[in-house]
Amino acid sequence: MPSITIKDVARDAGVSVGTASMVLNKKGKVKDSTREKVMAAVSKLNFHPNKYARFLVNRQTKTIGLIITDIANPFFGTIIDYVQEELALNDYDLMLGITKGNIEKEQQFINKFLEMQVDGVLLVPSHKQAPNTPHLENLKSRNIPFCFITAYYTNVNAPCVMTDLSEGSYMLAKHLLNTGHRKIIYIVANRNIPVSNLRVEGFLRAYKESGFSYTSDSIVISEPSFGGGYDAAAKYKKGNLPDAIMTMNDIMAMGVLQYLKKEKIKVPGDVSVAGYDDLIYSSILETPLTTVMQPMEPMCRKAVELLLKKIESPDQVNERILLQPELIIRGSTAVRKGSGK
């Protein structure tokens, strides 16, 4: 059976090919009655537009590449859901790349996206190392817009939508200090990367404002994973515990909780624990987790909006949008005994 073309749709609807094209591409002014005829023909003939044929005409495939770092963390699964939902509302498809924080894989996915003629790219930066970014310069040289989401690379000028990570960590550390915790350990990833360093800046700001002192071992570097949290917490035994352990994400905090449970260390009786992100599981853990909520849906919707605007208007300003976090206090933290609070 021969494939159905836009000419067949136009003939069945009794309109010109140009009118059918305007309806399908959602461009130009077309009467509602005409639009209904065209869409009825599309449904009747089971017509599916050829994106690559459309690319030859409009130089667009209506496809966006999304790069994330870690599918095992539900935080990034949530990003995929919201981004895909928002793109679908705008008649765009999604192409996914998962890097596990590896810069070489990030470069490979960018090259793949270029081969597939994506119209733009949304990018979650690596959390492992400060990157060499010729692949992003390649996007720029080919006039393919891209937008960072959740964080950014300091050496790349591009739009970005993220939570104010510094403010979120500041609020959490301030809460712990105000409830009598003095020795607080913060487990984060590589501090050369903004996604870690911004959080540490907020943590240190809370200490400085409080007048209390911290030491160089207050910051512990580890992989931002369940195992990274578990291994970092394993350095601390009963009798040598901090007052509280903060982690840069909830998955790490869950690793901390697992280690403490194994060692029969009570939370929050012996040590308070807090994370960051407010994953869907954080409120239903055996010990519900105090955390910082990132506004995921607004962040994803705004990132898609910025990218699509950049596709339509390439000269648009590369703005960095910071969304406000929210402190969520649950059962994994409590007033420190003997603090007088």
Side-chain angles (χ1 to χ4, degrees):
M1 180 178 177
S3 60
I4 302 299
T5 70
I6 193 170
K7 289 182 180 180
D8 298 313
V9 172
R11 186 183 305 113
D12 190 86
V15 301
S16 69
V17 172
T19 298
S21 177
M22 284 193 291
V23 171
L24 293 174
N25 290 303
K26 299 180 180 179
K27 292 184 177 180
K29 293 183 179 180
V30 180
K31 291 181 180 179
D32 289 343
S33 58
T34 302
R35 190 181 306 279
E36 289 170 2
K37 288 180 182 178
V38 172
M39 296 313 296
V42 167
S43 178
K44 173 184 173 183
L45 299 174
N46 195 26
F47 172 67
H48 298 283
N50 184 321
K51 290 205 168 196
Y52 295 98
R54 177 166 56 188
F55 173 76
L56 294 175
V57 177
N58 299 325
R59 309 307 295 173
Q60 287 189 332
T61 59
K62 301 289 282 187
T63 301
I64 298 298
L66 170 64
I67 290 179
I68 62 167
T69 56
D70 182 11
I71 195 66
N73 186 335
F75 176 81
F76 297 108
T78 301
I79 288 178
I80 296 170
D81 283 344
Y82 282 134
V83 166
Q84 187 169 42
E85 181 180 301
E86 187 66 15
L87 287 174
L89 291 174
N90 289 277
D91 195 30
Y92 276 82
D93 289 332
L94 177 69
M95 187 175 294
L96 181 65
I98 305 168
T99 67
K100 297 186 181 299
N102 184 290
I103 294 299
E104 287 71 28
K105 285 187 177 181
E106 181 178 299
Q107 293 168 346
Q108 290 167 11
F109 278 118
I110 291 295
N111 290 335
K112 185 67 174 178
F113 290 166
L114 286 170
E115 289 176 12
M116 300 305 292
Q117 305 284 3
V118 299
D119 295 335
V121 176
L122 289 170
L123 174 63
V124 175
S126 170
H127 52 257
K128 289 189 175 181
Q129 63 191 81
N132 183 20
T133 55
H135 55 300
L136 300 184
E137 295 304 319
N138 194 17
L139 284 177
K140 287 185 177 183
S141 70
R142 298 192 184 204
N143 297 315
I144 305 297
F146 61 95
C147 178
F148 291 120
I149 182 169
T150 72
Y152 55 89
Y153 291 137
T154 55
N155 63 323
V156 180
N157 183 26
C160 175
V161 183
M162 59 185 288
T163 304
D164 190 337
L165 301 175
S166 179
E167 181 65 17
S169 292
Y170 166 80
M171 292 190 299
L172 184 51
K174 186 175 180 181
H175 164 70
L176 291 172
L177 290 166
N178 286 344
T179 50
H181 302 81
R182 297 294 176 261
K183 185 181 180 183
I184 306 171
I185 300 299
Y186 200 3
I187 307 173
V188 298
N190 186 343
R191 280 198 65 186
N192 290 326
I193 306 300
V195 72
S196 294
N197 197 51
L198 289 169
R199 286 174 162 92
V200 173
E201 287 177 357
F203 173 78
L204 298 180
R205 177 160 59 96
Y207 257 104
K208 289 173 182 176
E209 286 187 7
S210 72
F212 298 112
S213 60
Y214 59 89
T215 60
S216 59
D217 60 0
S218 296
I219 310 299
V220 176
I221 307 301
S222 188
E223 279 291 307
S225 62
F226 182 94
Y230 186 99
D231 292 343
K235 299 175 182 178
Y236 304 98
K237 309 296 181 184
K238 280 187 176 180
N240 187 36
L241 292 171
D243 296 340
I245 299 175
M246 288 173 53
T247 62
M248 70 175 285
N249 62 40
D250 285 356
I251 289 292
M252 294 177 83
M254 292 175 192
V256 171
L257 290 172
Q258 181 69 18
Y259 167 75
L260 296 176
K261 181 178 181 180
K262 182 179 77 72
E263 295 296 314
K264 296 182 171 53
I265 297 171
K266 296 178 182 178
V267 176
D270 295 322
V271 58
S272 290
V273 177
Y276 205 116
D277 290 340
D278 195 30
L279 298 180
I280 189 170
Y281 310 116
S282 300
S283 64
I284 58 174
L285 295 171
E286 182 178 352
T287 305
L289 185 64
T290 291
T291 187
V292 175
M293 185 192 74
Q294 297 206 53
M296 299 294 292
E297 184 173 1
M299 179 166 59
C300 294
R301 295 199 186 286
K302 191 64 180 178
V304 170
E305 177 187 329
L306 275 187
L307 182 61
L308 297 188
K309 283 183 178 178
K310 196 78 174 173
I311 291 170
E312 296 299 323
S313 303
D315 294 331
Q316 190 180 0
V317 175
N318 292 324
E319 58 183 317
R320 183 176 298 165
I321 296 176
L322 291 181
L323 303 180
Q324 288 305 300
E326 180 183 351
L327 177 63
I328 307 293
I329 301 172
R330 298 194 180 103
S332 66
T333 60
V335 174
R336 185 72 177 166
K337 293 178 181 178
S339 67
K341 296 287 183 181

